[in-house]
Amino acid sequence: MKVLSHPVNVLDNFNYIKQCKSTSRNFTAIPVVDFLDPDAKTEIVEACKEFGFFKVINHGVSMEFMEKIESEAVKFFNLPQVDKEKSGPPHPFGYGDKKIGPNGDMGWVEYLLFGAGPEIFSKNAQVILPGISESLWSLVNDYVLAVRNIMCEVLEMIAEELKIGPKDVLSRLIKDEKSDFCFRVNHYPPCPELQSLNGLIGFGEHTDPQILSVVRSNNTSGLEICLKDGTWVSVPPDHSSFFFNVGDSLQVITNGRFRSVKHRVLAPSLKSRVSMVYFGGPPLSEKITALSSLMDDGEEELYEEFTWSEYKKSAYKTRLGENRLGRFEKSHDRTQIPKIV
């Protein structure tokens, strides 16, 4: 893959992009869930409790298909900057470069943002996002459908393992025709000058506000997650697998039993990193609150009830690294986090 030209004189703007101390080791304890393993649902729940993060293998999506959509995305990112900007700005969807959201966050990244809602994909690509090829548009649509099905399968495994009611008590939030999903393709361009810098941020630390998110990337490192003790560790890349992040909404639904994982991406120096992220959100009107079927007798709810629309608006008014759930926390003692038995 060729080294891309630097978008919009990025080298002149290094001072606007944060640096951080990177971990020097890969984290070998990341849970790996094999969909063919009869114990998969137990492993998923344990991973959601301990890390809020896990890798799925034997998921049924072919490498050929994943490489095809990645190749089409790379073709777009290889276009001249002026042509890519015809598909922007990303308000609410489209092409973005370095600026992440409206609140001043910056990163060494360019991206395409698709969403939200299935009605987007029923329309003409050139009308919605000028400059996006019909081929990429079609592949994104197929990819979103495939990954959504896998996410629903994971949520149904969780429901079965926790014994919290109907099998679709969680997956229905994603399956609903009004579900508010989002899909992002990120490109972290290579830049040899980064070798002289320490840990340049590609995408700053944050949690995802949705229920779950699914990440697939090429074989370039950069993704890091934060452990319970505050340690940042590097996730070894695996282009054949999917990585799942627990989001803020699922943390609320489980009343703190599951952990919304804080994560970030460090920019590469010599090789491009391309990632595709599906964010599974519920319908805008859906009330997000702890499931009563999961609560122990006398257990208090840790969070105020809110609709997804309310939380989405609140989350996107904050900076990436802020504790977005903080304003919804109830005032009682949060040291008594409930346990799954």
Side-chain angles (χ1 to χ4, degrees):
M1 185 179 298
K2 70 178 183 179
V3 176
L4 305 187
S5 59
H6 308 306
V8 195
N9 296 319
V10 178
L11 292 177
D12 297 332
N13 296 319
F14 272 150
N15 56 313
Y16 298 117
I17 301 177
K18 293 181 180 180
Q19 298 182 50
C20 66
K21 185 176 181 180
S22 174
T23 180
S24 60
R25 63 184 177 90
N26 283 338
F27 187 55
T28 58
I30 288 172
V32 179
V33 177
D34 186 340
F35 262 16
L36 301 180
D37 188 338
D39 294 326
K41 60 185 180 182
T42 301
E43 294 167 354
I44 288 172
V45 167
E46 290 301 316
C48 290
K49 290 163 50 182
E50 180 64 24
F51 299 103
F53 184 84
F54 56 93
K55 181 169 77 171
V56 168
I57 62 175
N58 287 322
H59 44 70
V61 180
S62 73
M63 272 297 300
E64 180 182 6
F65 174 65
M66 293 192 291
E67 289 175 345
K68 190 173 182 179
I69 185 173
E70 178 185 317
S71 176
E72 284 296 318
V74 169
K75 286 180 183 178
F76 173 84
F77 291 122
N78 276 342
L79 292 173
Q81 188 67 23
V82 65
D83 291 335
K84 290 184 287 188
E85 290 178 350
K86 293 177 182 177
S87 298
H91 305 310
F93 43 85
Y95 172 76
D97 173 38
K98 296 191 303 300
K99 293 182 180 179
I100 303 171
N103 303 307
D105 290 296
M106 301 284 287
W108 184 270
V109 63
E110 57 180 346
Y111 56 92
L112 276 171
L113 187 60
F114 298 84
E119 71 279 358
I120 293 297
F121 294 100
S122 66
K123 299 177 181 179
N124 185 280
Q126 294 303 315
V127 173
I128 301 298
L129 288 177
I132 300 298
S133 70
E134 289 291 345
S135 176
L136 178 57
W137 190 261
S138 177
L139 286 166
V140 167
N141 194 10
D142 292 343
Y143 183 88
V144 163
L145 291 174
V147 175
R148 183 181 66 180
N149 288 339
I150 295 171
M151 180 179 289
C152 288
E153 188 172 352
V154 165
L155 290 171
E156 289 174 359
M157 288 182 183
I158 290 172
E160 288 181 8
E161 179 68 11
L162 296 182
K163 300 178 176 60
I164 52 176
K167 182 179 180 180
D168 68 346
V169 65
L170 298 175
S171 63
R172 68 172 183 83
L173 302 174
I174 306 300
K175 289 179 177 178
D176 193 296
E177 63 179 12
K178 295 182 179 179
S179 293
D180 183 53
F181 75 84
C182 179
F183 181 67
R184 179 194 291 264
V185 183
N186 296 313
H187 175 232
Y188 303 90
C191 181
E193 288 84 351
L194 293 179
Q195 290 183 307
S196 64
L197 300 174
N198 179 30
L200 192 72
I201 287 293
F203 208 107
E205 63 181 71
H206 63 287
T207 59
D208 295 335
Q210 290 86 359
I211 295 172
L212 282 176
S213 53
V214 186
V215 183
R216 186 266 173 187
S217 71
N218 63 356
N219 259 350
T220 301
S221 61
L223 177 62
E224 296 190 342
I225 63 171
C226 187
L227 305 182
K228 284 182 176 179
D229 63 3
T231 302
W232 285 95
V233 292
S234 179
V235 177
D238 181 352
H239 67 300
S240 65
S241 302
F242 290 121
F243 294 87
F244 277 72
N245 298 333
V246 170
D248 296 343
S249 295
L250 190 54
Q251 179 170 312
V252 173
I253 290 170
T254 61
N255 207 37
R257 289 165 169 81
F258 287 2
R259 175 173 174 259
S260 180
V261 62
K262 185 179 291 185
H263 53 287
R264 68 189 183 192
V265 176
L266 301 188
S269 58
L270 298 177
K271 183 181 177 184
S272 288
R273 186 174 194 274
V274 178
S275 65
M276 299 176 285
V277 193
Y278 174 81
F279 302 91
L284 290 171
S285 61
E286 184 72 30
K287 293 180 179 179
I288 307 298
T289 189
L291 281 175
S292 59
S293 57
L294 189 59
M295 304 278 279
D296 298 326
D297 290 341
E299 181 180 332
E300 296 181 312
E301 293 182 357
L302 299 179
Y303 304 96
E304 303 286 351
E305 179 182 281
F306 50 81
T307 66
W308 168 238
S309 177
E310 290 170 338
Y311 190 61
K312 182 179 179 180
K313 290 176 182 177
S314 173
Y316 287 106
K317 287 180 181 178
T318 65
R319 299 292 296 269
L320 278 178
E322 293 183 30
N323 176 14
R324 293 161 166 168
L325 279 175
R327 61 167 293 195
F328 297 95
E329 293 175 357
K330 292 193 173 183
S331 58
H332 51 68
D333 185 4
R334 284 187 51 78
T335 62
Q336 302 300 314
I337 302 295
K339 303 296 183 184
I340 293 177
V341 296

